[in-house]
Amino acid sequence: MASNRSVRRAQEPATYTCALCDSEDGVRWYCNDCQEILCVRCKETHTRGRKTKNDDVVSIGKANRQGDKPVPEVCKLHPGKLCDMFCSDCNLLLCSMCLSKNHKQHNWKPFEDELSVKMELFKEHMTTLADKIANFNNATSERHRVNKTFKDTIDTTRKEVNSQRTKLKAEVDYIAEAVLAELSSLEKEESLLYKKDIQRSEKNVEELTRLLEKTEVTDTSSVSIFETEMSLRKTLPLYDVNMKHVSPKHPSFITGSINRVLLTKMLGELHHGNQYEKTDIDSIHVQRLSKFTVTQQNTILGICPVDGSNAWLSIHKYKGMVLVNSEGVVKETVQLDFCPDMITMHGTTDILMTSYHDSTVVYKLSLHNKQVTTFADIRPHAAYDISINKMDEVFVTTTTPDMVILNQSGTIVRKMTCGMDGRFITCLSSGDIAVSDCDNVSIITDSSGTTKYKWTGELNNGQKVGSRGFRKMSRDKYDRLFVPDYTNNQVYVLPRDSTQATCLLEQKYGVSRPKAVGVDKCGNVWIGCRDGTVHVMGL
C-alpha cells in the first residue's frame, strides 16, 4: 500500500509546461509531429505557422508520445484529470481523484512505473503471438504435407489393388480359357468320330441296299439261286449290325468353391490403423448412445451390425428382416415366408439364418437381390445358432453336443462335439470357437473339440454370478466376448484367454431381459431385449 505522503503527492493535480512559452496555464494541446505540449495561445500560433500549419495537433489526452514518454489518458470520470497512476489491486489506470475516493487503501504506483512493466509484458506477448503464428503456420504446412502424402499413398495403393485385380483376373481368364479350349478339343474330336461313324453307316446301308436289289432280281427257279445264296452267306457276316459305336464320355464341370480368404491373400490385404482403440471395460464409463424400440415390439433374436451405424435385426414371430440405424430409424425391410431366428453375416453380401419354420434348414438371404435360398439341409440335425469363422466355414449348433460344419457351398464337411448342449456360438478371429448353453461358456480351440477353458460366471471383482441365462453372444475385433444374461439383466465381457468377466451395464441403463448382442465396427455394443428395445452402448 502507498504511504500517506505518496497519496498526498498523487492527489495533487499533474501539471505540464508549454514547450514554447513555459506557461502552465491552458496547457491542453499536443503536436504529434513536433512531439511538443502546447498551451492554448501557442497552439493558435503553431497552427498558423507556415511550416507547422499542417501538423497533427490534438488534445493532450489523445497524444501518443511526449518525447520518449507516453502521455497518460484523460480520466473519463473526472475531465481535466490525467490517469497518471495505476492500481495494482484493481488493474486500473486512475487519476488523483479516483485514487482518493475509491483506491486509497489499495496498492498503486505511478503510471510510468507500471508502463515499463506493461511494455515488457507487451513485448513478451508480441513474441508469443509471433511464435504461435509461426507454430500454426508450420502445423498447417505439415498438415498439408501429411495430407498430400496420404493422398499419394491412397493413389499408389489404389494402383496396386487394380494391378493385382488385373493380374488375378488374367489368371482366372487363363484358367477358364484352358478349360474352354479343352472343351473345344473334346468337341472337335467327337465331331470327327461322329462324321466317320455316320459315313461308315451310310456306306454299309448303300452297299446292302445294292445287294438287296441284286438279290431281289435273282431267278429263284434256276441254279443261280445257289450261287446267290452262297455269295450272301459269305458277304452278310461282313456287316455286323451288333457292332456298336463307341459313345464319347460326356464331360462334367465340377464347380469349385470360392474361397474368399484365399482370394484375399492372393489379392492382398489393406493394413491401416484400428478404427477404434481397445479400452478397458468399465461400467461406470460406458455411455448409452441411443435407445429405441422396433415397431414389432417383439423379442430381438439376432443382431448383425453391418457398419458403425446400421444393423440387421431378426425379431420373434416376424416374417422378415429389418435394417435400422443406431437411432432406430428403419432403413430397409425384407419380407420372408418364414420367421428367422439366429442370423450371421456372410461377408458383406449375404445373411445366413436359422428358423423354427424348418429347423433342419439353413437359409441364405442375398442382399443385392433380396432373394432367399436354401443354403444347406443338415437333417437329421436341427439347426439352432450359426456363426462363420475366418476361413468361411459355417458352424451350426444343434442344441445337442454335436455341431455341424459346412463349407461355402453348404456341404457338411465335418462334425464336432463340444461337450455340452451347445445353443449359442461365436467364432473368434483367433480360430477358437465360443459355445454356450444357458449356464456356461466354453472356448473350443481346435477341430477335435478340445475345450481350452470354461467360464462359469466368475467376475473380476471376486464375485460369481449365481443363476444365469446366457443368450446370443458376440465378439469385438479384439476377441472380447460379450455375453447377454437374460436372468440378471446384464451383459458380461469375457476378455480373450481369461476366465474372469467384467459387468458391462449398471442399473441406471435400465436394460431388461437382454436376448442378443452385436458389436459394430466402431466398437459400439448393440443390445436387443425381450420387449423389442435396442440399446446402443459406447465403450
Side-chain angles (χ1 to χ4, degrees), residues 467-482:
S467 177
R468 302 176 290 274
F470 297 152
R471 291 299 186 267
K472 176 60 177 175
M473 305 177 293
S474 184
R475 68 166 178 88
D476 67 4
K477 68 179 180 181
Y478 300 106
D479 272 354
R480 293 183 296 194
L481 198 61
F482 292 76

Side-chain angles (χ1 to χ4, degrees), residues 199-215:
Q199 288 177 345
R200 185 186 299 114
S201 294
E202 290 177 345
K203 180 181 178 183
N204 288 339
V205 170
E206 183 180 355
E207 291 176 351
L208 288 172
T209 299
R210 286 199 302 267
L211 186 59
L212 177 61
E213 291 174 349
K214 182 180 179 181
T215 303

Side-chain angles (χ1 to χ4, degrees), residues 478-494:
Y478 300 106
D479 272 354
R480 293 183 296 194
L481 198 61
F482 292 76
V483 186
D485 184 348
Y486 177 84
T487 302
N488 296 290
N489 301 324
Q490 185 58 262
V491 174
Y492 306 110
V493 185
L494 186 63

Side-chain angles (χ1 to χ4, degrees), residues 100-158:
S100 62
K101 287 185 178 182
N102 301 316
H103 303 270
K104 187 182 297 185
Q105 303 301 320
H106 294 182
N107 292 309
W108 59 270
K109 63 179 70 173
F111 167 78
E112 292 83 359
D113 293 349
E114 181 61 23
L115 180 63
S116 61
V117 175
K118 293 298 184 186
M119 288 299 294
E120 291 300 321
L121 292 176
F122 183 78
K123 292 178 181 178
E124 292 178 6
H125 292 329
M126 291 292 289
T127 302
T128 301
L129 281 172
D131 291 342
K132 287 183 179 292
I133 291 172
N135 286 333
F136 279 117
N137 284 333
N138 291 337
T140 301
S141 299
E142 176 65 14
R143 190 64 183 89
H144 285 315
R145 186 194 66 77
V146 171
N147 178 258
K148 184 180 183 303
T149 303
F150 181 82
K151 288 184 176 180
D152 291 343
T153 302
I154 292 294
D155 290 339
T156 302
T157 304
R158 184 178 288 114

Side-chain angles (χ1 to χ4, degrees), residues 377-396:
D377 191 330
I378 65 170
R379 67 184 64 198
H381 299 287
Y384 193 79
D385 195 9
I386 187 168
S387 185
I388 303 175
N389 70 2
K390 62 181 181 180
M391 299 301 295
D392 271 357
E393 292 180 317
V394 180
F395 287 73
V396 184

Side-chain angles (χ1 to χ4, degrees), residues 268-396:
E269 294 179 291
L270 183 64
H271 288 180
H272 58 95
N274 294 328
Q275 290 176 289
Y276 65 93
E277 296 181 357
K278 183 176 181 180
T279 57
D280 294 334
I281 303 299
D282 185 346
S283 61
I284 298 176
H285 298 103
V286 172
Q287 294 182 336
R288 183 167 63 197
L289 304 180
S290 65
K291 173 186 176 182
F292 58 88
T293 302
V294 295
T295 305
Q296 292 75 18
Q297 295 185 347
N298 281 335
T299 301
I300 307 298
L301 298 177
I303 301 177
C304 278
V306 294
D307 49 35
S309 58
N310 297 281
W312 285 99
L313 307 178
S314 62
I315 304 168
H316 183 53
K317 293 184 178 180
Y318 176 66
K319 291 185 177 181
M321 294 285 294
V322 180
L323 178 67
V324 297
N325 66 13
S326 57
E327 299 300 323
V329 178
V330 176
K331 310 296 288 187
E332 189 175 355
T333 59
V334 178
Q335 299 299 320
L336 304 174
D337 294 330
F338 59 91
C339 299
D341 293 323
M342 301 293 112
I343 58 177
T344 189
M345 289 293 296
H346 190 195
T348 58
T349 59
D350 302 319
I351 297 178
L352 298 184
M353 304 173 285
T354 63
S355 174
Y356 288 127
H357 166 74
D358 191 340
S359 60
T360 65
V361 175
V362 177
Y363 296 95
K364 180 170 76 171
L365 169 63
S366 297
L367 295 176
H368 70 281
N369 59 10
K370 306 303 183 292
Q371 296 297 313
V372 177
T373 57
T374 297
F375 177 74
D377 191 330
I378 65 170
R379 67 184 64 198
H381 299 287
Y384 193 79
D385 195 9
I386 187 168
S387 185
I388 303 175
N389 70 2
K390 62 181 181 180
M391 299 301 295
D392 271 357
E393 292 180 317
V394 180
F395 287 73
V396 184

Side-chain angles (χ1 to χ4, degrees), residues 12 47 171 194 207 292 375 394 403 449 519 528:
E12 296 175 358
T47 56
E171 290 298 325
Y194 167 76
E207 291 176 351
F292 58 88
F375 177 74
V394 180
M403 283 188 294
V519 183

